[in-house]
Amino acid sequence: MVTQTRVELVGCHPKFRKALDFASNISVTKSPVLIVGEAGTGKKTISLFIHENSARQNSPIYEVDCSQEAQQVENQILGFRDPESGSFNKGVLELANGGTVIFANIEGLDENFQKRLYQIIQELPDYELDIRLLATTSKNLSKYVGAGRFYRALYTYFSGSQIMITPLRERTNDIEVLSNYFAKAFGNNNSKIIDGFSPEAMTKLTSYYWTHNVAELRAVVEGATEAAATSVISIQDIQLGERKSESI
């Protein structure tokens, strides 16, 4: 089960605010949602935001990483019988009754299991199971459908409501907003006063490509906060790899 903490989404870019507004509006419904974005853009955070702002906020939320080994994924979703004790371990579709299930990296679902999962989803009301289903992906699932790699009906089920998360490198203003947010948070956690970044340090951050998006920025700012000898983070405190090109 996912540990629930208060979700705070930070950003001012119009595309991000549009995605957040849509997530807020859709959260009060029961509709399945497909959340699309590159690695590190915050797909899980958006998923938690939807759950937290729904009528299910006090009910359990579970996440299944569909990129795991096929049998392990199936066991987590549907449950399995322990070969030693003979006892049955419930899957998330039972455990999350009244709550939410996130299918992370849904493109990784075994092709043979996709149709079966869709059929099971359609039968959930027959078993008096009430679950909000969310799915995340970093792939273009419509291309997967066209190539015969993803079950069309399952794609249609989730894609009726889609949230597209823009890569961080296309939200330059948000890099500054997030950097200051993370720096103050990490400073507070370490009883350290952080007032911000030097102009040179901020330029270094805003000009970086951020292949792994917000997750990468968060890690870099955490390291810079720990390294800072004063309340202002300098360019020397920031450790970045080589700037990634768009071709990678």
Side-chain angles (χ1 to χ4, degrees), residues 97-118:
N97 193 21
T100 303
V101 171
I102 306 168
F103 294 115
N105 306 306
I106 196 170
E107 75 282 353
L109 271 181
D110 181 76
E111 293 178 29
N112 295 320
F113 183 61
Q114 292 169 15
K115 182 176 181 179
R116 184 182 175 198
L117 177 61
Y118 174 74

Side-chain angles (χ1 to χ4, degrees), residues 16 22 39 53 59 66 68 80 82 92 97 100 118 130 157 208 216 230 233-234:
F16 177 78
F22 184 80
N53 287 276
S59 299
C66 300
Q68 300 176 97
F80 64 98
D82 189 293
V92 297
N97 193 21
T100 303
Y118 174 74
D130 174 27
Y157 173 80
Y208 189 66
E216 185 180 11
T230 69
I233 296 174
S234 69

Side-chain angles (χ1 to χ4, degrees), residues 155-219:
Y155 170 71
T156 301
Y157 173 80
F158 280 107
S159 64
S161 297
Q162 287 193 52
I163 298 175
M164 307 292 293
I165 308 178
T166 305
L168 183 59
R169 59 185 170 276
E170 297 178 17
R171 302 189 272 129
T172 307
N173 291 346
D174 282 352
I175 295 174
E176 183 171 354
V177 172
L178 284 163
S179 296
N180 283 305
Y181 172 80
F182 288 140
K184 290 188 181 298
F186 289 129
N188 290 337
N189 289 343
N190 294 288
S191 300
K192 201 172 188 178
I193 297 175
I194 299 294
D195 294 324
F197 297 77
S198 70
E200 297 79 11
M202 187 54 68
T203 297
K204 186 173 183 178
L205 292 174
T206 55
S207 61
Y208 189 66
Y209 190 70
W210 299 112
T211 303
H212 300 291
N213 294 286
V214 178
E216 185 180 11
L217 175 64
R218 185 181 188 278

